[in-house]
Amino acid sequence: MIDRQIDVSWKEILCDEFEKPYFSNLEDFLLGEKQNYTILPKTKDIFNAFNITPFNKLKVVIIGQDPYHGENQAHGLAFSVNDGIAHPPSLRNIFKELKEDIGCEIPANGNLNSWAKQGVFLINTVLTVRAHEAHSHKNKGWERFIEYVIKMISENKSNVVFILWGKPAQQKAKLIDEHKHLILNAPHPSPLSSYRGFFGSKPFTKTNSYLLEHDLKGIDWTLPL
């Protein structure tokens, strides 16, 4: 069920994790799910974030929860949607903050591939979901896998910006060495919490300021109109 074709820079880090019993159990669970339900994103897209953002190019981590569960929305990048798909509410709020923070116009397309190609690792804590059933693959093994990924980034890289939106993402802060990296916390961009401090948090300019301070190229956050 899980296509393990993954960028070689990640494969070196994750190969042992793929062989652990919990991951085999996760694969068995997903195989059973696929026989009875539509699973999102498509199998080929589950590890999209890892393939578009190689480990050696990673500069920023944005952590979401689980994939969008509407048809044709999810494509393996947290908060991003496939070309031509309407912006979900959380993404609309991200773009509102983007406009307020850096002054760019709100893009028509919600595909965040261009961010990922520049080193923004857009990862959910759970990488699959049943169509139209949010959190349906919670506590099946993905969380353990992603915690290992975050820990490996923290241990093996320096000066990464971790953007943690909402409590589930912020709970991962314990895995991050704050002496080596920058952690930016804010409420989740969903309509339920965005007005509690997400708006005005300026994550995009804060990220670029930190990267430039450490002699790293900033991210071009603007997206095609």
Side-chain angles (χ1 to χ4, degrees), residues 168-182:
Q170 289 166 16
Q171 289 169 353
K172 308 305 179 189
K174 64 182 183 292
L175 304 169
I176 303 164
D177 184 346
E178 62 183 347
H179 300 293
K180 292 172 60 182
H181 308 287
L182 176 65

Side-chain angles (χ1 to χ4, degrees), residues 6 10-11 13-15 17-18 20 22-23 47 49-50 53 55 58 61 63 121-125 127 141-157 160 162 172 175-176 181:
I6 191 169
W10 284 107
K11 187 174 288 186
I13 295 166
L14 299 174
C15 59
E17 203 70 8
F18 285 141
K20 291 184 177 179
Y22 86 89
F23 201 87
F47 286 121
F50 297 83
T53 309
F55 185 81
L58 184 153
V61 179
I63 303 174
F121 188 50
L122 296 155
I123 194 69
N124 286 306
T125 55
L127 300 189
W142 280 127
E143 292 92 343
R144 178 174 171 181
F145 178 75
I146 295 303
E147 286 191 352
Y148 179 79
V149 169
I150 295 168
K151 187 177 179 182
M152 289 299 98
I153 295 170
S154 177
E155 290 180 0
N156 293 287
K157 294 186 75 70
V160 172
F162 288 84
K172 308 305 179 189
L175 304 169
I176 303 164
H181 308 287

Side-chain angles (χ1 to χ4, degrees), residues 62 68 78-80 88-101 106-107 112 115 122 165 188-190 194 198-199 203-204 221 223:
I62 298 179
Y68 295 127
F79 297 107
S80 180
S90 291
L91 185 58
R92 286 202 299 270
N93 285 339
I94 290 169
F95 285 161
K96 287 178 184 177
E97 177 62 16
L98 179 68
K99 180 179 180 180
E100 184 67 24
D101 189 6
I106 292 176
L112 304 180
W115 290 3
L122 296 155
W165 288 331
H188 195 274
S190 73
S194 56
F198 172 77
F199 289 130
F204 308 104
W221 297 105
L223 293 163

